[in-house]
Amino acid sequence: MDKRRVCPVCGSTEFIYDPGRGEIICTKCGFVIEENVIDTGPEWRAFDASQREKRSRTGAPESILLHDKGLSTDIGIDRSLTGLMREKMYRLRKWQSRLRVSDAAERNLAFALSELDRIASQLKLPKHVEEEAARLYREAVRKGLIRGRSIESVIAACVYAACRLLKIPRTLDEITEISRVDKKEIGRSFRFIARNLNLTPKKLFVKPTDYVNKFADELGLSEKVRKKAVELLDEAYEKGLTSGKSPAGLVAAALYIAGLLEGEKRTQREVAEVARVTEVTVRNRYKELVDKLKLKIPM
């Protein structure tokens, strides 16, 4: 132990460390010199050399969001190098970057995951959604589903599928705005991937109520309006009015109606812009809900 320590009771400089209690104890008189000592060692235990070698580890954890899962190395930049050594390190870094992406499949994956990172950051998606999209894309590559389709459309489709699987409210229109391909192409890629990766409608089902808070936040609506909109959507679902309808259009209409009922009116244009649907869609869903649910809207 640290020989600079001196026991205040007996003056001894010999101590032992108790890892179970996190204490440093004087060997002569038993006085506790220090307690609550933080153990900075590994969280695992090893009882022989082979276990120690097997359990020890270093470096960053694996990541499905990197094309090589983070297992390759990088040669850093040393600003202090000059002359020939600097040129040599530059060449080494160039060859290292080429070796990291050695074939067409890896180049495909590297480009796709960089595009995924761009879309996820602009949509402010949680990391677990980004990881699920990466997993879906890797599975699509493994099954040869990418051939004949643009990387951008497939990765956008994987993002949309991941959002629906994990019940994160993002519409296809939102993803289309961020992506570099049109909505029809993303839709075709999504249906193709869903069919071939066994993503059933039950797994991909998203309730309209999942979008209420997102749209209400953008419209600045109160909790009272949100609850009323959820009640309207639940009642519409029970009566079979949501089948075959766009969730975004239904939520937009429900929020518009709830705003009128609770005295927090928003125009159809404002609601349509937030939901990324047309005013005609909002108007049609509004008429259906008012008629079928027999609502009395204040003038």
Side-chain angles (χ1 to χ4, degrees), residues 8-27:
V9 176
C10 66
S12 172
T13 57
E14 296 179 5
F15 311 104
I16 59 170
Y17 172 60
D18 183 352
R21 295 176 177 271
E23 297 175 344
I24 296 175
I25 305 165
C26 176
T27 57

Side-chain angles (χ1 to χ4, degrees), residues 56-288:
S56 63
R57 60 189 184 277
T58 187
E62 289 186 23
S63 174
I64 197 173
L65 299 176
L66 299 173
H67 77 278
D68 55 7
K69 295 190 177 180
L71 297 177
S72 63
T73 57
D74 281 319
I75 298 176
I77 299 174
D78 189 346
R79 303 288 182 186
S80 64
L81 296 177
T82 58
L84 293 174
M85 183 56 70
R86 189 169 187 172
E87 290 180 11
K88 182 179 179 180
M89 294 306 295
Y90 172 77
R91 288 195 298 273
L92 286 173
R93 282 198 303 274
K94 184 167 69 174
W95 279 106
Q96 174 71 358
S97 64
R98 289 177 180 176
L99 290 171
R100 286 185 68 189
V101 186
S102 57
D103 56 25
E106 286 196 2
R107 281 195 296 273
N108 176 308
L109 201 54
F111 176 76
L113 294 177
S114 67
E115 176 70 3
L116 169 60
D117 181 62
R118 185 185 69 82
I119 293 173
S121 64
Q122 291 195 40
L123 289 174
K124 297 180 175 60
L125 294 176
K127 189 174 181 181
H128 70 285
V129 178
E130 193 176 352
E131 288 175 343
E132 178 64 14
R135 187 194 67 77
L136 291 173
Y137 187 83
R138 286 176 181 272
E139 184 70 10
V141 170
R142 190 180 67 81
K143 291 190 174 183
L145 306 179
I146 311 300
R147 192 172 295 124
R149 288 173 174 79
S150 71
I151 295 174
E152 291 95 335
S153 71
V154 177
I155 202 70
C158 288
V159 170
Y160 182 53
C163 289
R164 292 185 62 164
L165 286 169
L166 299 174
K167 313 305 178 193
I168 300 296
R170 295 293 186 277
T171 65
L172 186 56
D173 290 299
E174 286 180 272
I175 294 171
T176 302
E177 285 179 10
I178 305 290
S179 180
R180 297 189 175 102
V181 288
D182 61 41
K183 184 176 178 180
K184 285 185 179 179
E185 190 175 350
I186 296 173
R188 281 195 297 267
S189 295
F190 168 71
R191 289 189 293 272
F192 180 75
I193 285 173
R195 187 166 61 249
N196 287 279
L197 295 185
N198 194 32
L199 304 179
T200 61
K202 186 177 180 180
K203 291 179 183 177
L204 295 169
F205 176 70
V206 178
K207 294 188 296 183
T209 50
D210 292 337
Y211 292 93
V212 169
N213 282 330
K214 182 177 184 301
F215 293 167
D217 283 341
E218 294 184 47
L219 289 166
L221 294 170
S222 67
E223 189 64 29
K224 186 168 59 173
V225 175
R226 299 173 196 222
K227 287 182 179 179
K228 187 63 179 178
V230 170
E231 289 174 11
L232 292 171
L233 289 168
D234 285 340
E235 190 177 349
Y237 177 76
E238 289 173 5
K239 295 189 175 183
L241 305 180
T242 60
S243 180
K245 304 290 194 310
S246 163
L250 284 166
V251 174
L255 285 171
Y256 176 68
I257 294 169
L260 293 174
L261 293 174
E262 301 296 340
E264 294 183 36
K265 184 178 178 180
R266 298 293 185 273
T267 65
Q268 290 184 359
R269 175 174 291 181
E270 288 177 306
V271 176
E273 285 177 356
V274 164
R276 292 171 176 81
V277 295
T278 64
E279 289 181 60
V280 175
T281 300
V282 175
R283 202 151 39 243
N284 290 340
R285 297 294 88 80
Y286 163 77
K287 289 176 182 176
E288 288 174 9

